[in-house]
Amino acid sequence: MSPDPRAHSAPQDLSAGLVLLLAIGAGLAVASLYYNQPMLGVLGADLRASAGELGWIPTLTQLGYAFGILTLAPLGDRYNRKRIVLLKVGALSAALLLAAMAPSASVLLAASFAIGLSATLAQDIVPAAAALAPPAYRGRIVGTVMTGLLLGILLSRVISGVVAEQFGWRAMFLAAAVSILALGAALWRGLPAFAPTTQLPYAELLRSLGRLWREHGELRRAALAQGLLSLGFSAFWSTLAVMLHGAPFHLGSAAAGAFGLAGAAGALAAPLAGRYADRRGPNAVSRLGAALTALSFAVMALLPLLPPQSGLWLLAASTIGFDLGIQVALIAHQSIVYGIDPAARSRLNAVLMVSVFIGMAAGGALGSLALATWGWMGVTLVATAAAAGALLLRVLPGRLRLRRRASCAA
């Protein structure tokens, strides 16, 4: 595939309108992963699906997303990223339409995997923003686009629940397909072309993921630290509803869902974290995010000492704190990773996000095991230890560099 002569190969100034378009695009793409979750009961009754089949719908969506990050996201370095984006827009629209028209649970399961696979469009849009942004403003612009992505995650469940209740679950998938088609038209007009940054064959492109991991210590530290933070995040969210359902709270799933609104704090803080990373450097911001996360998890150990009402307020404050910390660290780690090798941004982002997914999966398993074995204190310990490990990863390299400089000076 020959390079487009109009393609951009160097960072370009971004208009506010294009930044907004990229933020909306990232949000709409990632929201496609979560529309099905509040609608499982309704669509299960309509399709006469078993509980086992229903459980596989969100699972296959997430597995499709993870598989797509690993196998499709690196293509953004090999081909014109705009073309990749538009192809995924078409595929995601088709997958959502298939879900809307699914006559059976088996068809919906296939559509769910396809939705996850093509929703990796979001992981093409974020590196596109990083590639177009001037280096001095990259953190701010990536943070703004990440705000759109995070709000997509936050609001998708609320929107799909309301739409499904009022108009049916098929209407939600249909509306999602139309929104992605409209996004594609806007991106076709507004997104510039990108020159490929490598001519590696596809198999070698995938093998290069391992080479990048081995060659770049900053990539390993960023990916491992964000993976540990994601582990703590998932350990909390995978056990919260179970904990709230029992004594002394005796609350339903709606109460657990309400804690998700705390995610707005992290989403709105993302551009601020990006600006701070531009001014002070992403390493300092990553340490700040990991420290805030570890502290927020640790104070949850006070929960058994408080009356239920005060305990809920503590949980809410802790949720806001760790969500903010994790998002701040993610923006910082993306800034670090995108600065390693401009020719490999899509592959670097794929490595980072695969680490996040592995952390989320491990956190769900470890959190459930800790809750069953040691109760909520066990979950608190797992989450705090994971965040403390991330902080250690971010602090130690800086300390070691300072010691080496001091030794050289002596």
Side-chain angles (χ1 to χ4, degrees):
M1 183 181 297
S2 59
D4 189 327
R6 299 167 298 173
H8 292 284
S9 57
Q12 302 291 321
D13 288 325
L14 280 170
S15 68
L18 182 53
V19 173
L20 178 62
L21 175 61
L22 293 173
I24 292 172
L28 287 175
V30 80
S32 302
L33 299 171
Y34 301 99
Y35 289 137
N36 57 34
Q37 293 181 3
M39 305 190 299
L40 292 176
V42 178
L43 63 86
D46 188 34
L47 296 176
R48 296 182 175 85
S50 67
E53 288 174 318
L54 289 178
W56 274 105
I57 290 172
T59 299
L60 282 173
T61 306
Q62 296 295 329
L63 287 175
Y65 191 68
F67 185 73
I69 289 174
L70 188 61
T71 60
L72 298 181
L75 293 175
D77 294 331
R78 178 64 177 81
Y79 301 105
N80 177 358
R81 191 176 282 114
K82 179 177 181 178
R83 188 170 299 177
I84 298 294
V85 165
L86 294 178
L87 286 172
K88 286 188 179 180
V89 163
L92 182 54
S93 301
L96 289 166
L97 283 173
L98 179 61
M101 298 183 294
S104 65
S106 59
V107 174
L108 185 56
L109 287 171
S112 297
F113 185 82
I115 288 170
L117 196 67
S118 49
T120 51
L121 164 65
Q123 298 304 325
D124 294 295
I125 289 175
V126 178
L132 291 170
Y137 299 98
R138 183 170 296 132
R140 180 190 308 178
I141 289 170
V142 170
T144 300
V145 174
M146 285 299 296
T147 296
L149 187 147
L150 298 169
L151 286 174
I153 296 173
L154 175 69
L155 299 176
S156 56
R157 298 180 182 93
V158 178
I159 292 171
S160 65
V162 172
V163 172
E165 184 174 337
Q166 297 296 321
F167 305 104
W169 63 273
R170 295 182 188 276
M172 182 64 247
F173 281 125
L174 180 60
V178 171
S179 72
I180 295 297
L181 285 172
L183 170 67
L187 289 171
W188 177 73
R189 290 175 58 89
L191 189 65
F194 293 79
T197 56
T198 181
Q199 295 299 318
L200 290 174
Y202 179 68
E204 183 60 30
L205 199 67
L206 294 183
R207 282 195 291 269
S208 70
L209 296 175
R211 177 179 55 78
L212 290 169
W213 177 268
R214 292 189 299 271
E215 289 181 357
H216 299 292
E218 281 297 329
L219 173 62
R220 294 194 299 272
R221 283 189 289 273
L224 289 172
Q226 196 64 44
L228 284 169
L229 293 173
S230 300
L231 189 156
F233 178 89
S234 182
F236 174 88
W237 285 111
S238 63
T239 56
L240 177 66
V242 178
M243 188 272 289
L244 291 177
H245 183 74
F249 299 109
H250 302 291
L251 296 173
S253 58
F259 278 88
L261 295 176
L268 296 176
L272 299 178
R275 289 188 178 93
Y276 191 66
D278 290 334
R279 292 198 304 268
R280 299 294 300 274
N283 285 307
V285 177
S286 70
R287 291 191 288 270
L288 175 64
L292 178 58
T293 303
L295 177 63
S296 299
F297 281 139
V299 298
M300 290 193 299
L302 300 174
L303 191 62
L305 306 177
L306 300 174
Q309 190 69 27
S310 300
L312 289 175
W313 282 108
L314 175 67
L315 272 179
S318 297
T319 303
I320 292 171
F322 76 70
D323 189 84
L324 176 60
I326 288 171
Q327 302 308 335
V328 164
L330 178 58
I331 298 302
H333 287 142
Q334 285 178 313
S335 295
I336 291 170
V337 165
Y338 291 148
I340 290 173
D341 183 358
R345 283 196 177 113
S346 290
R347 284 169 286 164
L348 292 165
N349 183 68
V351 172
L352 177 64
M353 297 313 297
V354 166
S355 181
V356 167
F357 179 84
I358 292 172
M360 295 281 280
L366 289 175
S368 298
L369 177 63
L371 185 67
T373 307
W374 299 293
W376 185 250
M377 287 300 294
V379 176
T380 300
L381 179 62
V382 167
T384 304
L391 178 60
L392 195 63
L393 279 171
R394 297 313 316 171
V395 169
L396 279 181
R399 292 285 178 86
L400 292 175
R401 281 193 294 268
L402 287 174
R403 287 180 181 177
R404 283 196 294 267
R405 289 173 185 170
S407 299
C408 293

